[in-house]
Amino acid sequence: MNTYDLLVVGSANADLVVGVDRRPGAGETVLGSDLVVHPGGKGANQAVAAAKLGARTALLARVGDDGHGALLRESMESAGVDTSGVLVGGAPTGVALITVDPSGDNSIVVSPGANGRLTPDDVRAAGELFAGARVVSTLLEIPLETVAEVARGVSGSGEETRLVLNPSPPAPLPDEVLAVCDPLIVNEHEARVVLGADTEGEPEDWARALLALGPRSVVITLGAKGALVADASGTSRVASVKVRAVDTTGAGDAFTAALAWRLGTGASLAEAAAYAARVGAAAVTKEGAQMSYPTAEEVAAL
């Protein structure tokens, strides 16, 4: 019997957020709102999003022995995340510098900090977490060699464990990682980087090109146009949910976490993506990342 519905292996950052009328161009200075600090990082975001939906969730990550690290651990524990895999020390806690404009769109610069010290050895030492997980989700705000070790661990565990990967920030992926992804989740920009070429044609064409690289399935998020899911049986579209966006920070993490969790419950890829779209839509209606994530009841009421 699985101890966890979802194990997330990834980053934990402090989000330093400033609202702006418009984002600055090169060499330009603009005035913004008062600074607000939120718990964030794609790994911690996914873990909190899944836990708030009701999933039994654990996080393998690394934070600094500082105030930002304490903030992150407190936020995750209050959401119900098992933080026994959150390692402390090695560097200051990672920080994301975020500007948000009036439309809710954001720009982000990340200083990895302790996230860059999460090593393959840390993954190998977390065998009990992996053995107890139905689904493992990871991302690229930690070293690629660590992600590759996660893929090797999942591949060696048999067919019972499923790997979900959102390659963000995007980078070319080794074949051994791509071969285990089920699914690989990308937006249009990430698809371009993974493919190593311009994404021409329709999203269905991008999905077929991505599948040819080796993943078992692919999900392409398309913003207001919803999402597309693809595997060996074909492709299908998932509709978006219309809401008034306040802040899109962390919405993609909520989508990924919800999709990963629902796959672990036995949902099909299309069913899981449709539910994830509702979770992501609910998340953009509030400010912040983890603070904006809905409960299952809030998703049902959307």
Side-chain angles (χ1 to χ4, degrees), residues 83-162:
T83 60
S84 61
V86 178
L87 309 173
V88 179
T93 300
V95 172
L97 308 175
I98 303 172
T99 58
V100 182
D101 70 18
S103 73
D105 283 337
N106 62 64
S107 295
I108 305 175
V109 177
V110 175
S111 171
N115 298 308
R117 276 70 168 184
L118 188 68
T119 68
D121 284 342
D122 294 331
V123 172
R124 288 188 285 269
E128 289 188 9
L129 290 178
F130 282 86
R134 188 184 304 274
V135 179
V136 177
S137 179
T138 191
L139 43 104
L140 299 189
E141 283 187 340
I142 56 176
L144 185 56
E145 62 180 1
T146 304
V147 174
E149 185 62 33
V150 172
R152 284 191 286 269
V154 171
S155 178
S157 67
E159 294 298 321
E160 292 186 0
T161 305
R162 190 165 186 163

Side-chain angles (χ1 to χ4, degrees), residues 40-65:
K42 289 182 174 297
N45 286 353
Q46 286 190 32
V48 169
K52 290 183 72 172
L53 291 170
R56 298 169 300 164
T57 309
L59 176 67
L60 175 59
R62 185 174 287 276
V63 299
D65 185 13

